[in-house]
Every structure is written in C-alpha cells, then in structure tokens.
Amino acid sequence: MPPQRPGNALPFLLLTTIRTLIEELHVRLADLGHPDLRPAHGIAMQMISRGGSISDLGRRLGVSKQAASKTVASLERLGYAQRCRNATDQRQIEVALTARGMEALRLSGQLLNELRDEWATTVGEREMGSMEDTLAQLGRPDGFERIVGWLGG
C-alpha cells in the first residue's frame, strides 16, 4: 500500500489533473481551427448556450454585468458569440453563440470524450470509472453551477 499523502497534496493533485486535461483540450482545439479559445471562454460559452441576456450570463458566471459584457465582447471579436434582440421584447438584447461557437462547443465535447478514453486506456477502465464515481460522490449535486460561480466570483 502506498504511503498516505498529506491532505494539502489533494488540491494540488486535482488542480494539476484538471489543468493537464484543459491544456490538452486547448492544444487539440487549436489544431482544429480554434487557436484563440481560452478556458474561461469555454465556461462562458457553456453558459451562453443556455440563452438569455448579458445580465443572465453575469449571474450564471458569478460576475458583474460589466465583466460578462467584456467576455461577450471578446467572444464576439473572435466570432464565437453575437448579441441579438429578443424576439418578443425588442428592447432586450440577448447573447447567442454563432455557428463557430456551437462548433467549438461540439468539438470540445468530442475531444473531452477522447481524452477521457485515453486516460482510461492509461489507468484502466475500471480505475477510471472508480475515480469518476468517487469524484461524483465527493462533489455536490449542484457542482457545475457552484464551481462556475466560484471561479468567476
């Protein structure tokens, strides 16, 4: 049995693992024609895909309306998002993904599936499933919503 690591090693192991995963995702996205995307863009694009205004996006990300607006402006310059009028209330401006933004999200999902399978090949499918089950058990049911707000706020 390997020696027990100190408790302060756990956050670093988790952070190093997620960083490795996300960095490789972005290398592969760049190879597929999306070299300007950054991890924060991916989180924002996930939230934009749910629909709504810049204020809605800010609430989902746990940031101010101004910060959400800056993120949207950045994604607009890169061709991943656009502002458009609400179909029922022309005074309200919504944010939507462009075809390029939807493609990037779709590719990200495919690439994350590939990376997960590669990791399972490295450590074994049983160990990978066990790790995923353990992380799901240790996390919270509202984990995604909570982590996005925590990262942004």
Side-chain angles (χ1 to χ4, degrees), residues 23-91:
E23 284 178 354
E24 183 59 26
L25 168 67
H26 283 272
V27 165
R28 294 181 188 194
L29 279 171
D31 289 345
L32 294 172
H34 300 278
D36 297 321
L37 282 179
R38 301 291 171 256
H41 292 145
I43 294 169
M45 288 168 54
Q46 286 287 337
M47 297 297 106
I48 290 170
S49 72
R50 297 177 177 195
S53 67
I54 289 178
S55 294
D56 296 328
L57 177 62
R59 278 191 296 279
R60 289 181 191 138
L61 293 174
V63 300
S64 68
K65 182 178 175 181
Q66 292 78 11
S69 185
K70 283 184 179 181
T71 299
V72 169
S74 173
L75 288 169
E76 283 178 311
R77 281 190 301 277
L78 296 171
Y80 293 100
Q82 63 188 1
R83 297 172 207 232
C84 47
R85 297 224 177 261
N86 180 296
T88 57
D89 182 353
Q90 292 293 305
R91 296 169 297 172

